[in-house]
Amino acid sequence: MENNPQASEFQKGTAISYALSQGGGFMLIQATVATFFSNFLTDTVLIPAASASVILFIATLWDAINDPIMGGICDRTRTKYGSYRPYLLWVPIVLTVVSFLLFLNPSGLSTGAKIAYIMVFYILYGMSVTALTMPQMALIPAMTKSDKDRGQAVQLGIISIAVAFTIASTFTSGWVEKLGSYAPLMIIYGVLAIAANLWLFKTSKERYRAVTEEKRSIGADLKIFVKHKKLIIMLIIWMFASVGYGIMFSSSVYYMMYYIMRPDLIGIYMGILSIGALVSMMVVMPLLLRFFKTPTKAFIVSQAVTLVCYVILFFGGNKSMPVLYVVSFIATAFSAMEQGLINFFVNDTIDYIQLKEDVALNGMVSAIKGFAYKCGSTLTSSGILAVLAAASYIPNAIGGQPDSAMFAINSLRFGIPAITCVILIVCLIFNPIEPHRAEINAMKEKMQAVVKD
């Protein structure tokens, strides 16, 4: 990966504060929802899998649709603090309250009332995540044009995300047993998220603000992106990276509980996956980037190794626990880095649009990435439950699942993720931005800061 020889434009602590704003308490909340929420709905709130699938489909689809709206709003926000930084002050507070209410088990309500309750707060949860994620992603190219600064922030963010995901996936079950529910954890995680985003607000400065014409609508911004048809490849990459990563964790609880029939080993298995994700972000990804030079090549290699591991586990994951543990660890150590690598492509796409159109659409491009990513989340969250419902899954029936449900669970854990690997490899080979790398670097050399220290 090439770096421009520019001096750092970050204030002291900016890269660390940015990393903690993306990881930290914010990711602890998201990791808990991603890993345990589906099981919470079916096995704790006792909402039928088919109904839960509809809830997640509607909520996450709306969450994806409102991303471009939020991105356009961010680009048009004008305050003395900048376009993106003000959202760091209040959105984490809203997210904390909504996450707490989301995990309150409405046990005294009828099934219909439970569905309505969960629907409302899951939609609000998704909107809160969007309202924080969009400004965070748009902030990096607004703060610095230096590839070195951007790379440092992204890689530290990846490490922070991996650590938070490791903690949440490994220890949440035990903490819930002690606290009695997920809700108190949401308050603790939320306080950490609030603190990290306040620190980022204090240490950040928007030097290269997006210049958005007041008369141009959000729809016009969207059209600028859409006219570059080859960028559809980026949308596919963002979406299937979400599917591959999300389904890996969301299906693992069902896999260990019903396919392996060892619910007592869920914590151990989730810990192995989480540590694998941490190794992926902190060790394997930096090594691949250093060796292969570009995020695109590193991404292709990571998916190829993951594909081989998933094929092995699909056919023999239940034959030997040591094989399951070791090969799952290797797969995660190569696959989890996709969450970091796709962020390089966000900055690249912002630069590409500015090169071709001479307009900065930081928020809109970040939002479109969020839209694609959440379309993947929609497929993951609702798709898992829809597949289970179609396969005649029986809640809490360990050892009593029909063959159709057993095949579905194995396919969800390893079969479908293997297919996503193939799709990603093909798209990465045809990355449309790579041929314009020299032009983009030349453009950034000419950029001038509009906000001085």
Side-chain angles (χ1 to χ4, degrees), residues 3-20:
N3 290 324
N4 290 339
Q6 300 156 343
S8 175
E9 297 178 287
F10 278 166
Q11 296 185 44
K12 185 176 181 179
T14 300
I16 297 175
S17 63
Y18 179 80
L20 291 177

Side-chain angles (χ1 to χ4, degrees), residues 168-218:
S169 299
T170 305
F171 300 108
T172 291
S173 295
W175 290 338
V176 168
E177 287 184 10
K178 293 180 179 180
L179 295 173
S181 75
Y182 292 92
L185 276 180
M186 297 300 102
I187 297 296
I188 297 171
Y189 295 164
V191 170
L192 295 175
I194 292 168
N197 281 278
L198 285 176
W199 187 20
L200 177 59
F201 177 86
K202 182 178 180 180
T203 59
S204 60
K205 185 179 292 291
E206 295 179 27
R207 295 178 176 82
Y208 305 96
R209 290 183 182 175
V211 180
T212 303
E213 298 174 12
E214 297 298 330
K215 294 182 179 180
R216 196 175 69 230
S217 67
I218 293 175

